[in-house]
Amino acid sequence: MIDTTHLASARRRTLVLMLALTLGTAVVEGEFVLAEPPADEPLPDGAIARLGTRKFRHGGRVCSLAFAPDGKTLASGGADAVVRFWDVKTGRQVRVSSAFYSHIETLSFSPDGGTLAMTDSHPYGRTFLLDAATGKTRRYMENRPLPLSSTGILAAAFAPDGKALAATIPSGKVALYDATTLKQTAVLGKHDHYNVPRLAFSPDGRILASSGQDVTIRLWDVVKRKVFFVLRSEDTTAFPIIFSRDGKWLISGGGIQEKPNDHSSPWKHPTIRIWDTTTGQQIKMLRDENTHGCINSLALAPDGRTLVASCKGLLCLWDVKEGKRLRSLPGPHGHRGPICKLQFSPDGKLLAGGVGNIVALWDMTSGRLLNLDPNESVSNINSVAVSGDGRLLAAGEAGLALWDLRTRRFVRRFGDDKYEVSKVVFSPDDKMLASCSQFDRLRLWDVASGRPRHPFAANPSKDSRSTNLAFSPNGKLIAAAYFSTKQGGGPRGIRLLDAATGEERQNLTIRATIHGWFLGIGFSPDGRRLSGTTINGETYSWRKEGDQFVQQGQTFQVPFSYPVAYSPDGFLTEENRPSKSISFRDLDTGKSKRDLSRLLPIGRTLAFSRDGRYLASGPYVVRGGDGTELQDETLRVCEMASGQIVLRWRPPPHTDINALTFTPDGRTLIAGMGDTTILLWDVFSASRSAADKLPEVWNALASGNAPRAHRAVASLLAAGDEGVSFLTRRLQPIVPPDSKELARWIADLDSDEFAVRERASRALAKAGETVRPALVRARAGSPSLELRRRLDLLLEGTENRAPSVEELRVMRAVAALEYLGTPAARRLLQRLGEGAPEARLTREARAASRRLAKRDRPTTDR
């Protein structure tokens, strides 16, 4: 007998599934929960791919949440200083506010959903009313703090009837305002601490509860304008509060910290307390002895019974009436931080919470986390690194992730880090990854298996923190910069660790100081020199002698040198005194090789291409400033040879770029974003180049307008081997001057006739770098005063000088050949490398050939 009931049920499920696929809607246990849009947000101009998604993502930590009364829109505020409005079904951002001063501390919708109240962390205690339909500010107020008082975290909440708005003031006061005009109508009183971060109205609007860092909860009579209960417990700081649906109970969350004034001190005994609002007495306490930490957030479902509490990344569900724990909901995989600002949707079907930089959504029927794949990051992308063969991308974020750049698919995660990974680097042979986490140990990973290789030797002391990593060119050593976190300062330096065993080979210590960590460290290409620059502007260098590195001393110091970036032939630093400037300096001497101040303002995130030809700079955006400092919101690429910006892109607004790196072939720039995604940008955007246009391209290569010349390089790349054939007819190896003629020119520099001396100087200057060795030899002898003067002028002209337009053309043409990397391009580079050794063309061609050969080395299967 056929079970027709079962068949009918199956047909219904099939129809529902087909409908869901048609509408782009996900089905969870028979309910439409979240729609899956066909694609993510459009890519910004110039970007070619995005790894990860921007749905429900902030450019910084999520600090506040609020569902609109209709449940269709969810507002979130973050450390990126904006309020974002999300379509709950699709996860798409539907609007975003303008940038405020800093963190968005609290959000509250008016009962009609038309207005959103918010507070930011401005010192003057500002409260804003936003138009929920547009995200624009309607009105705001500020409450300047009392003299010498500290500023605190503020809160704002609408009364149930929407007529009044309660807000806290930096002095610790709790006040009421007209919800339309923001005119203050009453000051209810104050806490004994300036931090009063939480407010809640009772359902009938007659009671206002405030939770302050004076470790009290105060119940205010809104009608009589006074406090009627001060609730105290053994909890050690201000924690969340929420009223029961009938207003008879106030529910608070807390915990006990072993050392209340120590941020790193552990928490114990997470506790939920239930208070009688008519007596002020604690009537119930909910505690799970198997859970550790503290209660970070509370949310009560519309049914009035189901209470959700977050504690150390775990969500616990309680029956608040019976005082029984029901179950737990899974937090994001690998996330160790708190889940904050829990909010139920008005229908109770969804629960929202802030998880790192993400607004996470749980389905309350199934308990599933709906919008966060286990492989996705929940925090900033702090560091990015590409393998030498260009196949793999490693990203340091809440953990360490590996991506396949060819398929742009996620590969794996490497273990679980206790803290966010701040730096990651590939070994030269691509077999290993080294990483360091904030406040955690160094780690070395096997790329093929994803397993840890071996533990590194312990840090010099428990108060030491690692800040930077670099492999030596032969891959045998790992340089790990560290500094002391002791309040009075302590040891700092660079540890040299054996990559094969993890043992410490050498500890390169420098003078102890406060806040003197290394912003950048780098080995010279031959591995015989190591340099590092600290945030205090000190640059130190060490030279290898035998099997040890010997300190060469402090190369130079400039006050407040930040940021810093290292390239194969130097390092760049911004110097802020006596005025802002940017210099590209020699690794050995610290002397300035080039002034790049025209790039100001420069971003805090920098990266050189591996060939040193290009410098990428993230946006320079000042948050929390007075608005007068010059800013630049674009991602820029600078050509080092000309010192000019050749590309400008505008990344997604209100989203920081925290990490940059170029692929080994120099053709793609990779940006680690604050919104948990990774963006790939095309450095040489595709363009068509017909054969009859190549002469114009050749002329453009010598342009003093670097962006025009950069487009010409892109045209050569688009032309492929046709462009190589064209360059073959234009570029020839540099032939060194005849030795007899060279000797005659040098002798003529000391001629009795002025015209002869001038003619010889012009000939030698034209020959350029090809005659430099002969000039050096002549200068080392015993030349006459006139000969010495002219030799010095010629030598000075060949040292650290800006390239001529013709030399720029040659350098750009060689770059195009290297980036093409075809057999024909390689043959031409090899032939050009056979010219005069001192000539720029010869040196550029040889260096390009070496880099191409290095990229061709065999790699292990992964």
Side-chain angles (χ1 to χ4, degrees):
M1 181 176 178
I2 299 175
D3 187 347
T4 56
T5 304
H6 174 76
L7 286 178
S9 177
R11 290 191 189 102
R12 284 196 299 271
R13 287 197 299 271
T14 302
L15 288 172
V16 168
L17 180 59
M18 292 176 62
L19 179 61
L21 292 173
T22 303
L23 298 177
T25 308
V27 179
V28 178
E29 294 197 1
E31 295 188 22
F32 297 117
V33 179
L34 284 177
E36 187 66 28
D40 205 351
E41 285 189 20
L43 292 170
D45 290 342
I48 55 176
R50 176 186 286 121
L51 308 182
T53 177
R54 296 197 76 216
K55 300 170 193 172
F56 290 114
R57 265 64 173 174
H58 263 271
R61 178 175 54 87
V62 174
C63 304
S64 50
L65 289 173
F67 271 101
D70 63 6
K72 297 179 180 179
T73 302
L74 178 63
S76 59
D80 51 3
V82 294
V83 179
R84 300 179 188 267
F85 297 81
W86 308 95
D87 183 298
V88 173
K89 284 190 175 181
T90 65
R92 292 284 187 96
Q93 179 181 291
V94 293
R95 69 189 69 91
V96 61
S97 72
S98 58
F100 294 95
Y101 179 82
S102 188
H103 300 58
I104 308 301
E105 301 292 358
T106 58
L107 294 173
S108 176
F109 271 102
S110 60
D112 63 5
T115 304
L116 182 69
M118 58 142 286
T119 62
D120 67 357
S121 55
H122 195 279
Y124 293 162
R126 303 189 306 181
T127 302
F128 292 80
L129 296 181
L130 307 184
D131 187 318
T134 64
K136 294 182 178 180
T137 299
R138 284 180 178 167
R139 194 178 297 272
Y140 84 97
M141 64 179 178
E142 61 183 36
N143 295 285
R144 293 177 180 254
L146 298 174
L148 303 181
S149 71
S150 300
T151 59
I153 301 174
L154 307 181
F158 276 103
D161 62 6
K163 296 179 180 179
L165 180 75
T168 55
I169 300 172
S171 60
K173 292 181 179 179
V174 179
L176 296 176
Y177 300 84
D178 183 282
T180 302
T181 65
L182 285 186
K183 181 180 179 180
Q184 189 178 97
T185 57
V187 175
L188 301 182
K190 70 185 295 292
H191 281 254
D192 296 330
H193 194 280
Y194 54 83
N195 260 355
V196 185
R198 294 174 175 88
L199 293 173
F201 273 100
S202 61
D204 61 7
R206 299 179 64 87
I207 303 174
L208 176 67
S210 61
S211 175
Q213 203 164 326
D214 56 359
V215 201
T216 67
I217 298 170
R218 298 174 187 247
L219 299 183
W220 309 89
D221 187 314
V222 175
V223 177
K224 296 181 179 180
R225 306 290 203 257
K226 65 178 184 179
V227 65
F228 62 95
F229 287 124
V230 178
L231 313 180
R232 302 180 187 273
S233 71
E234 57 185 304
D235 298 334
T236 54
T237 191
F239 278 114
I241 49 176
I242 190 169
F243 278 95
S244 62
R245 297 302 176 195
D246 58 9
K248 295 180 179 180
W249 292 351
L250 179 73
I251 306 168
S252 69
I256 300 174
Q257 195 174 23
E258 290 183 4
K259 298 178 182 179
N261 296 322
D262 183 355
H263 177 71
S264 61
S265 176
W267 290 88
K268 57 183 180 181
H269 305 315
T271 304
I272 299 170
R273 303 177 190 275
I274 301 178
W275 310 82
D276 187 317
T277 57
T278 60
T279 66
Q281 298 298 309
Q282 180 179 305
I283 58 176
K284 193 177 297 186
M285 184 175 70
L286 309 180
R287 177 180 288 176
D288 182 354
E289 298 297 336
N290 296 321
T291 304
H292 301 283
C294 61
I295 304 297
N296 300 108
S297 186
L298 293 171
L300 187 63
D303 63 11
R305 295 186 66 99
T306 305
L307 178 71
V308 182
S310 69
C311 181
K312 286 194 69 174
L314 179 69
L315 295 181
C316 300
L317 274 66
W318 295 81
D319 184 318
V320 74
K321 300 290 186 182
E322 299 293 332
K324 293 181 180 180
R325 178 166 171 169
L326 302 174
R327 56 174 171 152
S328 297
L329 296 183
H333 175 73
H335 177 67
R336 298 178 181 273
I339 301 171
C340 66
K341 306 297 182 180
L342 295 175
Q343 295 281 324
F344 271 101
S345 60
D347 60 8
K349 294 180 179 179
L350 294 177
L351 176 71
V355 180
N357 296 16
I358 294 176
V359 178
L361 291 176
W362 286 264
D363 171 57
M364 293 306 294
T365 302
S366 66
R368 280 201 316 127
L369 181 56
L370 296 174
N371 64 328
L372 186 60
D373 186 274
N375 294 327
E376 291 178 333
S377 171
V378 298
S379 68
N380 301 323
I381 306 296
N382 302 312
S383 179
V384 285
V386 182
S387 59
D389 59 9
R391 295 171 58 191
L392 298 175
L393 168 68
E397 18 100 338
L400 180 57
L402 193 69
W403 294 80
D404 188 320
L405 277 179
R406 297 169 302 176
T407 63
R408 295 167 186 165
R409 292 183 179 276
F410 183 85
V411 177
R412 71 167 63 90
R413 285 195 171 274
F414 293 82
D416 289 327
D417 276 278
K418 186 177 180 181
Y419 299 100
E420 290 189 12
V421 174
S422 56
K423 185 71 174 181
V424 58
V425 289
F426 275 96
S427 63
D429 63 4
D430 293 343
K431 294 180 180 179
M432 295 181 290
L433 270 173
S435 67
C436 66
S437 301
Q438 297 172 358
F439 311 111
D440 199 10
R441 66 184 186 273
L442 304 174
R443 294 187 177 187
L444 190 67
W445 306 91
D446 183 85
V447 174
S449 66
R451 293 192 294 268
R453 278 287 184 104
H454 48 67
F456 284 119
N459 280 338
S461 73
K462 66 177 182 179
D463 299 308
S464 291
R465 298 290 182 261
S466 297
T467 62
N468 225 299
L469 292 174
F471 270 98
S472 62
N474 61 11
K476 293 182 179 181
L477 292 176
I478 300 174
Y482 69 92
F483 79 105
S484 174
T485 58
K486 290 182 178 179
Q487 187 172 359
R492 59 181 181 144
I494 299 175
R495 302 165 66 213
L496 296 178
L497 305 164
D498 190 311
T501 65
E503 296 178 1
E504 183 178 296
R505 294 301 183 194
Q506 203 172 349
N507 191 343
L508 309 175
T509 59
I510 58 175
R511 178 177 56 86
T513 187
I514 302 173
H515 304 312
W517 59 87
F518 281 93
L519 292 172
I521 58 175
F523 284 95
S524 60
D526 61 7
R528 302 198 62 82
R529 189 172 58 252
L530 174 64
S531 300
T533 302
T534 73
I535 196 170
N536 296 333
E538 310 154 322
T539 295
Y540 295 88
S541 64
W542 293 264
R543 183 174 293 279
K544 193 172 186 181
E545 296 182 6
D547 60 352
Q548 295 287 299
F549 277 83
V550 178
Q551 186 172 334
Q552 302 297 297
Q554 185 173 318
T555 306
F556 79 106
Q557 180 174 9
V558 293
F560 306 107
S561 174
Y562 182 66
V564 170
Y566 277 75
S567 85
D569 59 347
F571 65 99
L572 180 143
T573 180
E574 179 182 328
E575 299 149 26
N576 291 327
R577 289 185 181 177
S579 61
K580 281 196 174 185
S581 63
I582 302 174
S583 294
F584 184 68
R585 295 182 174 273
D586 186 87
L587 282 171
D588 263 336
T589 65
K591 292 182 179 179
S592 179
K593 299 169 68 173
R594 198 168 309 141
D595 182 9
L596 298 174
S597 297
R598 68 169 69 183
L599 301 182
L600 288 170
I602 197 166
R604 292 294 183 251
T605 306
L606 305 175
F608 279 101
S609 58
R610 296 196 185 188
D611 55 21
R613 292 189 180 111
Y614 294 98
L615 170 73
S617 167
Y620 182 75
V621 178
V622 180
R623 290 201 181 98
D626 59 8
T628 62
E629 188 167 354
L630 184 64
Q631 303 192 37
D632 190 304
E633 297 184 356
T634 59
L635 171 60
R636 297 173 287 167
V637 177
C638 166
E639 182 189 53
M640 289 298 292
S642 64
Q644 295 183 41
I645 295 171
V646 295
L647 291 171
R648 285 182 183 271
W649 297 306
R650 188 168 293 277
H654 314 300
T655 303
D656 289 338
I657 293 179
N658 301 318
L660 290 169
T661 192
F662 286 86
T663 52
D665 62 7
R667 299 184 66 163
T668 305
L669 178 63
I670 299 173
M673 310 297 294
D675 62 5
T676 78
T677 68
I678 299 170
L679 283 174
L680 279 59
W681 306 80
D682 189 354
V683 178
F684 300 97
S685 56
S687 61
R688 295 182 178 180
S689 178
D692 58 349
K693 298 292 184 182
L694 287 174
E696 297 177 15
V697 170
W698 176 253
N699 291 333
L701 289 177
S703 173
N705 182 322
R708 179 179 174 228
H710 188 76
R711 291 191 293 272
V713 174
S715 295
L716 282 173
L717 297 181
D721 281 346
E722 187 177 15
V724 177
S725 298
F726 177 83
L727 292 179
T728 302
R729 299 190 294 271
R730 295 295 189 278
L731 297 174
Q732 297 298 324
I734 301 299
V735 179
D738 179 76
S739 58
K740 292 181 179 180
E741 189 174 28
L742 176 57
R744 179 169 55 81
W745 286 341
I746 293 176
D748 285 349
L749 290 176
D750 204 21
S751 172
D752 292 337
E753 297 183 26
F754 177 78
V756 174
R757 296 197 302 271
E758 285 292 294
R759 186 165 55 248
S761 290
R762 287 195 296 271
L764 288 166
K766 185 177 180 180
E769 294 162 319
T770 61
V771 300
R772 182 176 174 82
L775 297 177
V776 171
R777 288 193 297 271
R779 181 65 177 80
S782 302
S784 66
L785 182 61
E786 174 65 10
L787 178 56
R788 185 166 66 247
R789 183 182 71 82
R790 288 184 177 268
L791 287 171
D792 286 343
L793 286 173
L794 288 166
L795 286 170
E796 185 180 343
T798 61
E799 184 179 21
N800 290 338
R801 64 179 176 82
S804 65
V805 290
E806 187 56 39
E807 287 172 323
L808 283 173
R809 169 154 53 194
V810 166
M811 295 167 71
R812 291 159 176 163
V814 170
L817 291 172
E818 180 181 351
Y819 297 152
L820 274 172
T822 63
R826 293 169 187 246
R827 287 193 296 270
L828 179 53
L829 285 172
Q830 185 174 3
R831 188 162 69 86
L832 296 174
E834 295 169 355
E838 301 82 6
R840 187 184 292 270
L841 174 59
T842 306
R843 290 184 285 113
E844 293 281 339
R846 288 180 178 181
S849 294
R850 286 194 299 269
R851 285 189 292 266
L852 285 170
K854 187 177 180 180
R855 290 214 306 267
D856 289 340
R857 71 183 186 280
T859 56
T860 57
D861 292 333
R862 296 180 178 88

